[in-house]
Amino acid sequence: MAETPKLRLYNTLTRTKEDFVPLDPANVRMYVCGPTVYDFAHIGNARPVIIFDVLFRLLRHLYGEKHVTYVRNVTDIDDKINQRAFDRWTRKRPLLDEVKALTDITAAQYEADVAALGNLPPTHAPRATDFVCNGSQPTDMVRVIGRLVDRGFAYAAEGHVLFHVPSMSAYGRLSRRPLDDMIAGARVEVAPYKKDPMDFVLWKPSDPATEPGWDSPWGFGRPGWHIECSAMAGALLGQTFDIHAGGIDLIFPHHENEIAQTCCAFGVDKMASVWMHNGFLQVEGQKMSKSAGNFFTIQDVLKDWPGEVVRLNMLKTHYRQPIDWTVRGLEESRKTLDEFHTNGSAPEGGSPKEFIDALADDLNLPKALAVLHRYRKEERYADFNSAIQLLGLPTVADLRGRATIRFRASGVLTGVDSDSVEQSVSKRLAARRAKNFAESDRIRDELLAMGIQLKDGKDPVTGEPVTTWEVKR
Ligand code: AMP
Ligand code: ZN
């Protein structure tokens, strides 16, 4: 058996690259903080999903598909969501049901967006609302908060429950910030019920007339953001697990506070062994913001670019570096993929050792992509195909499976809407399969009239009919 490469990961906790040693190699566990589903996800939100999907694929490759558990949560409790739900509330059903109806839509949209970018579904995608006070769940939020109060790490005051930061001597180990910075970074609210300005909210009161909430020992209210992840991770992965990840903005206060809650509630000395953080995405050199007019949702980007182009473009930069999202970069990524897809077909089952070694070195994607290019140059197509699948990008055979072939030489298609051509080609293939040759000929002639020449053939591997097309000159 081939030797398993040593996986090394950069750990924010120690600020070093370390050998990865799973707590249980038969069940490697990873938690990635997911989106707050109050609106469509933006292209920056796609970065952690894509990066940690590649890590998920790599872990499955190294430890076996059945031996990796990946949790990516959905935050569906949030004041902006509450406001929106309240605005459309007709009072015909409980406000919490209105929240659910709203977040069902935004969460489904999110799932569709990230699937279009080639990401595997995580093992579990828990929603925070299912873990607030679920009677059968020993680590739901209300019980974790109760444990923190019982153990002297949290206190109730004026309908709130607060985590008392000075009660935890190890607080701040992840972010390593001086206290003054932390106070500024957390934008701490000065409130009369706080014992210390750093204390953060675990539970807060809801006004039953205008805000959703749950009954709790501290009155009707709702959880704070940080406690959601401690509860969901605890329920699905256990009190201590292997990898916890998210964008770099989450180091403080979110991840720092998750550690505080989990360690103090359960009396463990760590929540996760490795903490990983992706750098931020900016657009054409500028911070992305609605006011600057350079804010793009995943859907905006997918209108102009195929999912695999967006994905490759995200993988070209090392995940810990900032990434500059540019049209030029996307154009180059499209060109690269078009080149990749002129590869000859190859059987499955390559063993792309150098490629995996690059990924196993703290996801060195730029290096891994260089190896991929080399495989292509050396016509090692079996290795190439195994490698590209680990990145979640389509192989030539995958594209043929879509029954159409993408256009190749860039630039030829000026003035032609490739999506509508591909739609017609698919329709014609369906007509041929149904032996409706009159319809299939009609579509062929219609395209010919537009200057598009079709060529029918067979996939060399599967024998399925395939149709390629080009613009007649
Ligand atoms: P949010 O819905 O804001 O909690 O973000 C969901 C995930 O996207 C978190 O892991 C964030 O760290 C990450 N994220 C948000 N904005 C960006 C960005 N501009 N670049 C990279 N990651 C981001
Ligand atoms: Zn989280």
Side-chain angles (χ1 to χ4, degrees), residues 47 120 170 248 290 430:
R47 191 171 193 202
L120 296 172
I248 196 166
K290 285 194 175 139

Side-chain angles (χ1 to χ4, degrees), residues 31-34 73 75 225-226 228-230 232 244-245 250 254-255 258 271 275:
Y31 186 97
V32 176
C33 294
N73 74 288
T75 296
W225 171 34
H226 317 303
E228 297 175 10
C229 288
S230 284
M232 286 183 275
H244 193 130
L250 299 187
H254 185 54
H255 287 167
E258 281 187 41
M271 180 181 190
W275 289 79

Side-chain angles (χ1 to χ4, degrees), residues 32-36 42 44-48 225 245-250 278-282 288:
V32 176
C33 294
T36 304
H42 61 68
N45 299 137
R47 191 171 193 202
W225 171 34
I248 196 166
D249 58 320
L250 299 187
N278 63 270
F280 248 43
L281 173 146
Q282 49 174 24
M288 183 165 65

Side-chain angles (χ1 to χ4, degrees), residues 140-306:
D140 67 24
M141 296 175 211
V142 167
R143 290 197 209 188
V144 179
I145 297 171
R147 288 178 70 105
L148 287 168
V149 174
D150 292 347
R151 294 169 64 97
F153 293 102
Y155 58 94
E158 297 180 28
H160 293 72
V161 183
L162 292 126
F163 185 95
H164 189 41
V165 169
S167 70
M168 187 201 191
S169 57
Y171 187 86
R173 264 177 60 197
L174 181 71
S175 55
R176 299 187 183 179
R177 291 193 181 199
L179 195 64
D180 288 355
D181 262 28
M182 286 206 249
I183 293 175
R187 276 183 234 110
V188 293
E189 216 182 306
V190 186
Y193 48 80
K194 277 190 182 181
K195 288 188 188 165
D196 185 278
M198 285 298 294
D199 293 354
F200 61 88
V201 166
L202 300 168
W203 188 262
K204 57 186 160 191
S206 291
D207 174 350
T210 57
E211 291 166 329
W214 290 260
D215 289 320
S216 83
W218 316 283
F220 185 74
R222 58 195 192 278
W225 171 34
H226 317 303
I227 196 72
E228 297 175 10
C229 288
S230 284
M232 286 183 275
L236 296 164
L237 296 178
Q239 298 163 2
T240 299
F241 50 94
D242 297 297
I243 300 172
H244 193 130
I248 196 166
D249 58 320
L250 299 187
I251 297 176
F252 186 82
H254 185 54
H255 287 167
E256 195 75 78
N257 291 352
E258 281 187 41
I259 294 174
Q261 294 160 163
T262 295
C263 292
C264 295
F266 301 120
V268 290
D269 65 356
K270 66 179 176 188
M271 180 181 190
S273 306
V274 186
W275 289 79
M276 296 178 71
H277 296 96
N278 63 270
F280 248 43
L281 173 146
Q282 49 174 24
V283 172
E284 307 280 357
Q286 306 286 320
K287 183 171 184 257
M288 183 165 65
S289 77
K290 285 194 175 139
S291 55
N294 65 352
F295 182 93
F296 299 103
T297 64
I298 296 175
Q299 285 196 38
D300 291 334
V301 178
L302 284 174
K303 271 185 211 130
D304 294 333
W305 305 92

Side-chain angles (χ1 to χ4, degrees), residues 31-85:
Y31 186 97
V32 176
C33 294
T36 304
V37 286
Y38 69 90
D39 208 342
F40 295 129
H42 61 68
I43 189 65
N45 299 137
R47 191 171 193 202
V49 185
I50 294 173
I51 294 297
F52 298 113
D53 177 72
V54 173
L55 180 57
F56 179 41
R57 288 168 191 266
L58 177 67
L59 291 170
R60 282 160 46 114
H61 177 83
L62 297 177
Y63 294 93
E65 284 190 15
K66 293 203 174 68
H67 302 291
V68 185
T69 308
Y70 171 25
V71 177
R72 190 182 66 217
N73 74 288
V74 173
T75 296
D76 57 356
I77 304 172
D78 171 81
D79 285 351
K80 283 189 220 125
I81 294 175
N82 294 345
Q83 184 62 50
R84 239 172 238 195

Side-chain angles (χ1 to χ4, degrees), residues 114 240 295 358 416 427 464:
V114 298
T240 299
F295 182 93
V416 174
K427 270 193 211 142
E464 290 283 308

